[in-house]
């Protein structure tokens, strides 16, 4: 028997040896890191020396571009030595983004700016470096990348992150090459995580491709991959040199290659395998619901919104008034936002930067800078409109309202008036001299006026203030508790709250949708219920366990606002619900005032956080805001950067690292019943996770508390604060314009008071009803205007884009600014066509 076993082993070894001798394996080595992640100053010269010592070695680089500023100052000789070889064919820069973001968790426009600013910074140091392949160490992927990468001049991509899968990985699919098909139809030749590339045994951070092991290569050869390739981007600071050996001792006689050399010269170079990569093929999991990550995500979202709004309003003022913002400050605002989007800030928020403050603390500083600059630019830009050209000298001033979206909007705005305005009734009129619904409020010496503003697409409307008596806000200080239900309603909705069950929504009727009742009254859960598993108590707790008090904060012809006060497991919570006339979104402002840290999650995670089984992954047990709605056989849709994902998941739940599912909500998630007659969308003020299954209603993750990634205790140290909105609607997400509604929620109208200003309305761009979004509108260095469109809801038919200012030339450009084509214009409009989820960037030359 022993002889037979030895014979079999010898046969297997001989087979593998013959197999490997007949077929060649390849390996891509490299470095990942940077001045903010990890990059000791000795690394630069070390790379130069190791490349000199090992001529067969090749490296891919994923180094934060700003790193080279520091290296140049602190290690001038090493910097000069590296600069001499930076464009060598043995080196490939594979991720030039400014701060190595995960991509799936930020806006599409932010992704573009990450590449734009990163490439510019690298070219400041190494002007001859080119970009051919996108490859990363961590799961920095999102479905729209083929289109974005091609527009930046990339030819290839890699979907492996073999050695750093702490935060997730991509789905296993395909063989040697695939055509990665983006949501808009763009195709990019890509090395996938092979279908045979399994997750590593006894590891929760690697796939089997990380070291070109015997088992990995055999699996590849058996699958029919003729030229298998492995990958490991080492952390900058590791002193390993060539990762799998050098000289005659390279593992399995693998050959070091760069990605561009491998794909262009070694691989088959083409394929018929079209991989329609879904956002759900990005299998990622972070500490969703933890207090620290929630705050980071909220801060990043707010800054993303403010900086693009500042650029848009500044450009309007530039066209009208020649206002020029300080570009250095805008660049710095983008810089600090991009650093806040760094993948490390999201996966290791408690780590310290340079041994000082934590990532989380630094992100607050970074986003505060972005917000301060954005606010300053908006104030300057709107202030540039102050003039003596007012047409009505008998009024108390003017309010100008700016709309940064390409659709006409009718929404409520509030503006603070100067203290010089006396405490008397003030009315609002539009440029047609029509009285606009409004009301005033006084708080001490401050005067606030709220009114319903109708504003043209991508422009502004002006309103005059005068001494007339409007309909005032009628405050109703009544409170309701116990078994007495309370009804709040407006022109669109009728909502019944049940205080005896913690203030849950007992009924939600959409008046303009054939009085559709959205509440699933047969469900064991309740609409608006907060529910989570408190593992130290060993049970689920819910806001329905105790009664709540309901207080009417405001009730008038424009706004109905109520406050719900209750508790969950003795911890007080408040939830403010706001109905606004003419607005389809119902707003919620939630606060849970935790008395102390409590454990919330599936169980108390011990020191074994690296184990495959994890307490912080199954969102069913986290504190959830629940939305059980009556939508039979429903489907889930969710937005992603420059994409909308049609979910194919039966459920969102998983409890182990090797079974991660994509349960991420970027801006919104939408539940649509099978016949597509009705739907129910949820908007979130931050990137987080959602839950859904046949026996579990659509829910938004609100809180997790316990040990998590990298071992720290993700504790509760302050109140939970989050905002969300719901939109009951007819039709699918595109018919209901959910992306547009989300954009309205994220880019609210901006109102400014002017003592004197031209009493006019203006639209700079009219793309109303086209399904196009304006993601960027900014001033270029040469004085031209850059506009970027994203087709989020429209089809491929030709659209007419009208300009409200004289345009002499229109050029479609790629994301590097290179001309794609000249577009015919009659000085007032152009015709555009692009596929759904396509993006187009136009450069406008305007009359001086």
């Amino acid at each position: 028997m022993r002889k037979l076993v030895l014979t079999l082993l010898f046969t297997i070894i001989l087979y593998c040896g013959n197999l490997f001798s007949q077929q060649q394996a390849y390996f891509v080595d490299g470095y990942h890191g940077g001045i903010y992640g990890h990059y000791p100053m000795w690394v630069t010269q070390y790379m130069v020396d190791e490349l000199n010592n090992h001529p067969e070695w090749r490296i891919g680089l994923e180094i934060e571009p700003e790193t080279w500023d520091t290296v140049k100052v602190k290690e001038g000789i090493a910097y000069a030595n590296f600069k001499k070889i930076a464009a060598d064919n043995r080196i490939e820069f594979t991720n030039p983004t400014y701060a190595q973001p995960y991509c799936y968790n930020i806006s599409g426009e932010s992704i573009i700016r990450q590449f734009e600013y990163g490439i510019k910074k690298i070219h400041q140091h190494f002007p001859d470096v080119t970009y051919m392949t996108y490859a990363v160490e961590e799961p920095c992927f999102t479905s729209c990348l083929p289109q974005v990468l091609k527009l930046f001049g990339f030819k290839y991509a890699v979907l492996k992150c073999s050695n750093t899968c702490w935060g997730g990985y991509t789905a296993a699919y395909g063989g040697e090459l695939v055509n990665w098909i983006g949501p808009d139809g763009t195709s990019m030749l890509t090395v996938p995580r092979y279908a045979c590339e399994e997750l590593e045994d006894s590891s929760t951070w690697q796939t089997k491709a990380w070291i070109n092991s015997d088992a990995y290569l055999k699996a590849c050869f058996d699958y029919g991959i003729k030229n298998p390739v492995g990958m490991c981007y080492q952390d900058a600071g590791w002193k390993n040199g060539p990762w799998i050996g050098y000289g005659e001792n390279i593992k399995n006689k693998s050959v070091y290659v760069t990605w561009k050399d491998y794909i262009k010269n070694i691989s088959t170079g083409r394929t018929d395998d079209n991989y329609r990569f879904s956002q759900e093929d990005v299998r990622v999991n972070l500490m969703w619901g933890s207090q620290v990550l929630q705050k980071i995500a909220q801060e990043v979202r707010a800054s993303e919104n403010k900086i693009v709004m500042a650029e848009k309003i500044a450009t309007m003022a530039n066209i009208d008034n020649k206002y020029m913002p300080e570009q250095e400050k805008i660049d710095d605002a983008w810089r600090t936002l991009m650093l806040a989007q760094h993948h490390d800030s999201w996966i290791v928020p408690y780590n310290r930067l340079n041994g000082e403050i934590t990532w989380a603390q630094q992100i607050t500083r970074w986003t505060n800078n972005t917000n301060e600059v954005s606010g300053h630019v908006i104030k300057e830009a709107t202030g540039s409109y102050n003039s003596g050209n007012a047409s009505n000298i008998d009024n108390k001033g003017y309010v100008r309202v700016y709309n940064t979206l390409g659709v006409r909007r009718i929404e409520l705005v509030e503006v603070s008036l100067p203290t010089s305005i006396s405490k008397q009734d003030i009315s609002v009129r539009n440029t047609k001299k029509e009285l606009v619904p409004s009301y005033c409020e006084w708080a001490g010496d401050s005067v606030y006026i709220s009114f319903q503003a109708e504003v043209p697409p991508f422009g502004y409307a002006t309103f005059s203030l005068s001494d007339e008596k409007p309909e005032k806000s009628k405050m109703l200080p009544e409170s309701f508790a116990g078994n007495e239900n309370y009804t709040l309603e407006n022109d669109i909705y009728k909502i019944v709250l049940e205080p005896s069950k913690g203030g849950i929504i007992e009924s939600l009727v959409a008046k303009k949708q054939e009085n559709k009742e959205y509440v699933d009254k047969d469900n064991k859960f309740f609409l608006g219920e907060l529910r989570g598993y408190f593992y130290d108590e060993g049970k689920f707790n819910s806001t329905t366990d105790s009664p709540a008090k309901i207080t009417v904060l405001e009730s008038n012809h424009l706004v109905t606002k109520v406050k719900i006060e209750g508790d969950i497991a003795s911890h007080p919570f408040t939830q403010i619900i706001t109905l606004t006339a003419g607005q389809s979104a119902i707003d919620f402002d939630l606060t849970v005032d935790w008395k102390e840290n409590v454990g919330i999650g599936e169980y108390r995670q011990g020191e074994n956080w690296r184990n495959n089984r994890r307490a912080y992954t199954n969102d069913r047990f986290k504190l959830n805001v629940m939305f059980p709605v009556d939508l039979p056989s429903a489907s889930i849709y969710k937005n992603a950067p420059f994409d909308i994902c049609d979910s194919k998941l039966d459920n969102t739940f998983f409890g182990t690292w090797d079974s991660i599912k994509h349960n991420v909500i970027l801006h919104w998630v939408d539940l649509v019943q099978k016949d597509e007659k009705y739907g129910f969308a949820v908007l979130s003020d931050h990137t987080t996770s959602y839950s859904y299954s046949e026996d579990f209603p659509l829910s938004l993750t609100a809180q997790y508390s316990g040990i998590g990634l990298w071992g720290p205790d993700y504790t509760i140290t302050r109140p939970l604060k989050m905002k969300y909105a719901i939109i009951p609607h007819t039709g699918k997400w595109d018919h209901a314009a959910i992306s547009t509604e989300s954009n309205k929620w994220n880019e609210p109208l901006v109102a400014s008071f002017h003592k004197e200003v031209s009493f006019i309305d203006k639209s700079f761009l009219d793309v109303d009803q086209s399904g196009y979004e304006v993601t960027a509108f900014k001033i270029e260095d040469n004085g031209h205007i850059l506009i970027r469109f994203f087709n989020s809801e429209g089809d491929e038919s030709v659209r007419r884009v009208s300009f409200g200012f004289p345009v002499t030339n229109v050029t479609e450009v790629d994301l590097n600014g290179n001309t794609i084509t000249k577009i015919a214009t009659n000085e007032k409009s152009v015709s555009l066509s692009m596929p759904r989820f396509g993006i187009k960037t136009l450069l406008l030359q305007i009359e001086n």
Side-chain angles (χ1 to χ4, degrees):
M1 183 67 182
R2 185 169 177 269
K3 183 177 181 181
L4 176 61
V5 170
L6 290 173
T7 301
L8 287 172
L9 285 173
F10 178 77
T11 303
I12 291 170
I13 292 170
L14 183 63
Y15 169 78
C16 290
N18 289 335
L19 186 65
F20 293 170
S21 67
Q22 294 168 9
Q23 294 180 282
Q24 182 63 60
Y26 299 88
F27 195 80
V28 178
D29 202 350
Y31 288 101
H32 156 94
I35 197 68
Y36 295 99
H38 29 74
Y39 193 94
M41 285 296 101
W42 54 261
V43 170
T44 308
Q45 188 60 48
Y46 180 77
M47 288 190 294
V48 173
D49 292 342
E50 288 296 293
L51 284 165
N52 287 335
N53 293 337
H54 307 292
E56 76 280 7
W57 198 34
R58 307 286 187 273
I59 56 173
L61 291 183
E62 185 191 18
I63 304 297
E64 298 155 11
E66 199 174 300
T67 302
W68 305 111
D69 292 345
T70 303
V71 173
K72 183 178 181 180
V73 172
K74 292 188 174 182
E75 294 288 335
I77 295 175
Y79 172 85
N81 290 337
F82 181 80
K83 187 170 184 177
K84 293 175 184 177
I85 63 171
D88 189 278
N89 60 13
R90 297 169 63 200
I91 299 173
E92 183 178 12
F93 286 71
T94 65
N95 180 10
T97 55
Y98 201 89
Q100 302 168 1
Y102 277 128
C103 293
Y104 65 82
N105 58 335
I106 60 178
S107 72
E109 187 60 32
S110 285
I111 293 172
I112 289 175
R113 303 304 178 94
Q114 285 276 356
F115 279 98
E116 178 184 320
Y117 279 98
I119 289 171
K120 182 178 180 180
K121 173 60 70 175
I122 291 176
H123 278 163
Q124 287 175 2
H125 293 279
F126 316 118
D128 295 329
V129 164
T130 58
Y131 307 96
M132 193 85 82
T133 313
Y134 178 77
V136 292
E137 185 204 21
E138 306 225 14
C140 301
F141 303 110
T142 195
S143 58
C144 73
L145 278 177
Q147 178 178 206
V148 173
L149 292 171
K150 277 211 165 179
L151 288 169
F152 272 112
F154 286 75
K155 291 186 176 181
Y156 314 121
V158 178
L159 284 169
K160 298 176 186 292
C161 55
S162 313
N163 195 48
T164 311
C165 305
W166 298 104
Y169 39 81
T170 57
Y173 175 90
E176 190 165 305
L177 294 174
V178 298
N179 296 315
W180 176 359
I181 309 297
D184 69 310
T186 297
S187 175
M188 174 157 282
L189 194 60
T190 298
V191 178
R193 177 191 156 205
Y194 304 142
C196 62
E197 185 181 332
E198 298 177 350
L199 300 175
E200 184 62 280
D201 301 328
S202 303
S203 170
T204 52
W205 66 92
Q206 295 161 311
T207 77
K208 289 183 180 293
W210 72 288
I211 201 168
N212 268 16
S213 65
D214 294 355
Y216 169 66
L217 294 180
K218 182 179 184 304
C220 292
F221 291 141
D222 288 348
Y223 192 76
I225 298 172
K226 295 180 180 180
N227 306 288
V229 61
M231 172 191 185
C232 177
Y233 275 9
Q234 306 174 51
D235 278 6
W238 291 0
K239 279 195 173 182
N240 294 289
W243 180 244
I244 57 172
Y246 52 85
E248 297 299 317
N249 299 312
I250 301 175
K251 192 174 185 66
N252 284 319
K253 299 189 182 301
S254 302
V255 174
Y256 288 111
V257 290
T258 60
W259 280 118
K260 63 183 178 183
D261 184 40
Y262 170 80
I263 298 172
K264 181 180 179 181
N265 300 319
I266 296 168
S267 75
T268 55
R270 65 182 65 184
T271 180
D272 295 327
D273 189 355
N274 293 329
Y275 183 16
R276 300 194 177 277
F277 185 87
S278 163
Q279 191 71 354
E280 291 186 338
D281 290 324
V282 184
R283 310 270 173 89
V284 286
N285 180 241
L286 297 176
M287 294 302 301
W288 307 123
S290 66
Q291 173 185 279
V292 64
L293 185 55
Q294 187 176 77
K295 184 170 183 283
I296 287 169
Q298 288 171 330
E299 289 173 336
V300 168
R301 174 65 51 77
S303 293
E304 279 186 325
N305 294 336
K306 288 177 181 177
I307 185 64
V308 294
M309 292 176 69
E311 285 184 331
K312 291 174 181 180
I313 293 173
T315 307
M316 294 179 192
N318 174 265
I319 293 169
D320 279 348
N321 310 320
K322 304 300 181 186
Y323 165 73
M324 285 297 295
E326 293 182 59
Q327 190 58 45
E328 286 186 3
K329 287 188 176 181
I330 291 180
D331 291 342
D332 186 59
W334 273 108
R335 172 186 171 270
T336 51
L337 170 58
M338 291 185 296
L339 291 173
Q341 294 168 336
H342 195 293
H343 68 273
D344 276 345
S345 66
W346 291 66
I347 196 169
V348 286
Y350 290 125
N351 280 11
R352 295 190 176 274
L353 281 166
N354 300 318
E356 298 176 358
I357 64 174
T358 65
W359 275 99
Q361 292 168 329
Q362 185 61 60
I363 287 161
T364 298
R365 294 183 181 181
W366 280 331
T367 52
N368 282 348
N369 177 70
T370 303
N371 297 342
E372 182 180 343
V373 172
S374 301
H376 179 73
V377 169
I378 290 173
K379 184 176 180 180
E380 277 193 342
T382 57
S384 73
Y385 283 97
N386 291 327
S387 71
N389 298 324
S391 59
N392 182 0
I393 61 174
D394 296 325
N395 63 21
K396 290 188 168 293
Y398 299 85
V399 174
R400 177 160 285 174
V401 181
Y402 299 84
N403 174 13
T404 58
L405 303 181
V407 294
R408 183 180 70 95
R409 298 165 72 175
I410 304 176
E411 296 172 26
L412 189 71
V413 297
E414 180 183 271
V415 65
S416 174
L417 303 180
T419 54
S420 58
I421 293 181
S422 59
K423 288 186 176 181
Q424 57 188 4
D425 294 326
I426 300 171
S427 67
V428 181
R429 291 186 180 273
N430 60 25
T431 55
K432 298 176 183 177
K433 306 298 178 66
E434 298 167 334
L435 199 62
V436 174
S438 64
Y439 62 91
C440 285
E441 292 179 289
W442 293 269
D445 293 330
S446 300
V447 183
Y448 299 90
I449 188 162
S450 298
F451 62 94
Q452 195 171 55
E454 180 175 350
V455 191
F458 210 89
Y460 53 75
T462 312
F463 301 85
S464 65
L465 307 178
S466 59
D467 294 335
E468 297 177 72
K469 189 171 184 178
E471 185 174 347
K472 277 190 176 181
S473 175
K474 299 173 183 176
M475 303 303 295
L476 299 178
E478 303 107 313
S479 295
F480 301 85
N483 295 317
E484 184 180 1
N485 288 355
Y486 177 74
T487 300
L488 65 154
E489 62 183 306
N490 66 359
D491 56 324
I492 302 177
Y493 301 113
K494 180 179 180 181
I495 299 175
V496 178
L497 304 176
E498 190 171 350
S500 65
K501 293 180 179 176
I504 58 95
I505 297 176
E506 192 273 334
S507 174
L508 169 55
V509 173
K511 295 181 179 180
K512 297 183 179 180
Q513 299 172 31
E514 300 177 342
N515 287 319
K516 160 71 177 173
E517 171 63 72
Y518 274 88
V519 172
D520 181 0
K521 300 196 176 185
D522 295 327
N523 202 296
K524 64 181 178 181
F525 304 110
F526 300 93
L527 188 60
E529 174 186 2
L530 293 179
R531 182 179 186 271
Y533 189 75
F534 290 57
Y535 51 73
D536 288 332
E537 298 181 36
K539 67 174 184 176
F540 282 95
N541 286 314
S542 168
T543 51
T544 64
D545 296 336
S546 57
K549 181 176 76 171
I550 298 174
T551 302
V552 181
L553 301 178
E554 193 170 350
S555 181
N556 58 63
H557 56 299
L558 292 177
V559 176
T560 303
K561 183 182 295 186
V562 300
K563 178 171 69 173
I564 302 167
E565 298 172 278
D567 63 68
I568 178 167
S570 80
H571 301 273
F573 81 89
T574 62
Q575 181 143 255
I576 297 173
I577 305 176
T578 304
L579 293 180
T580 304
Q583 180 176 302
S584 60
I586 304 170
D587 290 308
F588 294 77
D589 190 340
L590 171 65
T591 300
V592 180
D593 192 8
W594 302 105
K595 295 178 180 178
E596 69 273 331
N597 180 48
V598 294
I600 304 174
E602 187 176 3
Y603 57 88
R604 176 174 288 280
Q605 179 80 52
E607 298 300 321
N608 57 344
W609 66 270
R610 293 171 182 255
N611 285 6
N612 191 38
R613 182 85 168 86
R614 298 172 173 188
Y616 47 87
T617 54
N618 193 335
D619 290 351
R620 183 191 298 268
F621 295 89
K622 296 177 182 178
L623 188 69
N624 284 286
V625 185
M626 311 190 83
F627 308 102
V629 289
D630 185 18
L631 297 174
S633 304
S635 297
I636 287 278
Y637 299 89
K638 51 194 173 186
N639 87 310
F642 294 138
D643 190 14
I644 311 297
C645 176
D646 179 357
S647 177
K648 303 302 180 186
L649 297 176
D650 293 330
N651 67 77
T652 59
F653 302 118
F654 59 94
T656 59
W657 172 81
D658 62 6
S659 62
I660 295 175
K661 299 177 183 178
H662 184 96
N663 61 350
V664 179
I665 171 175
L666 180 61
H667 296 97
W668 57 263
V669 59
D670 191 26
L671 192 65
V672 180
Q673 70 181 40
K674 187 174 182 179
D675 65 4
E676 299 181 356
K677 186 174 182 180
Y678 297 110
F680 185 91
V682 179
L683 315 183
S684 172
D685 71 349
H686 66 291
T687 301
T688 184
S689 61
Y690 72 96
S691 296
Y692 182 70
S693 72
E694 187 176 341
D695 64 350
F696 196 89
L698 176 63
S699 301
L700 195 61
T701 301
Q703 194 87 71
Y704 169 81
S705 177
I707 289 176
L709 280 168
W710 299 99
D713 193 355
Y714 288 72
T715 57
I716 296 171
T717 61
R718 58 178 176 268
L720 160 67
K721 291 181 179 292
M722 61 183 285
K723 295 181 180 180
Y724 63 94
I726 60 175
I727 305 177
H729 62 85
T730 58
K732 245 172 72 175
W733 62 270
D734 48 358
H735 172 82
I738 296 302
S739 284
T740 298
E741 293 300 320
S742 174
N743 291 335
K744 291 178 183 178
W745 201 67
N746 281 282
E747 294 189 33
L749 297 173
V750 174
S752 62
F753 174 81
H754 300 264
K755 186 175 182 181
E756 294 181 336
V757 73
S758 299
F759 195 38
I760 60 171
D761 299 342
K762 183 171 184 177
S763 174
F764 292 83
L765 292 172
D766 190 349
V767 290
D768 207 2
Q769 306 303 315
S770 69
Y772 287 6
E773 297 178 14
V774 181
T775 68
F777 188 67
K778 65 191 186 87
I779 310 159
E780 293 293 273
D781 293 339
N782 56 11
H784 294 175
I785 305 299
L786 182 145
I787 309 173
R788 186 150 35 248
F789 295 104
F790 167 52
N791 185 0
S792 62
E793 295 166 344
D795 56 27
E796 293 188 69
S797 61
V798 176
R799 310 286 187 185
R800 176 67 60 178
V801 178
S802 300
F803 303 120
F805 52 97
V807 175
T808 57
N809 286 294
V810 180
T811 306
E812 182 185 350
V813 296
D814 65 16
L815 295 176
N816 288 318
N818 300 316
T819 297
I820 295 176
T821 185
K822 298 282 187 180
I823 299 178
T825 177
N826 60 8
E827 296 189 4
K828 294 185 178 180
S829 66
V830 294
S831 296
L832 284 185
S833 174
M834 66 182 113
R836 177 170 285 188
F837 309 134
I839 57 177
K840 278 199 175 184
T841 305
L842 305 184
L843 204 58
L844 310 184
Q845 185 175 351
I846 64 176
E847 291 183 359
N848 294 323

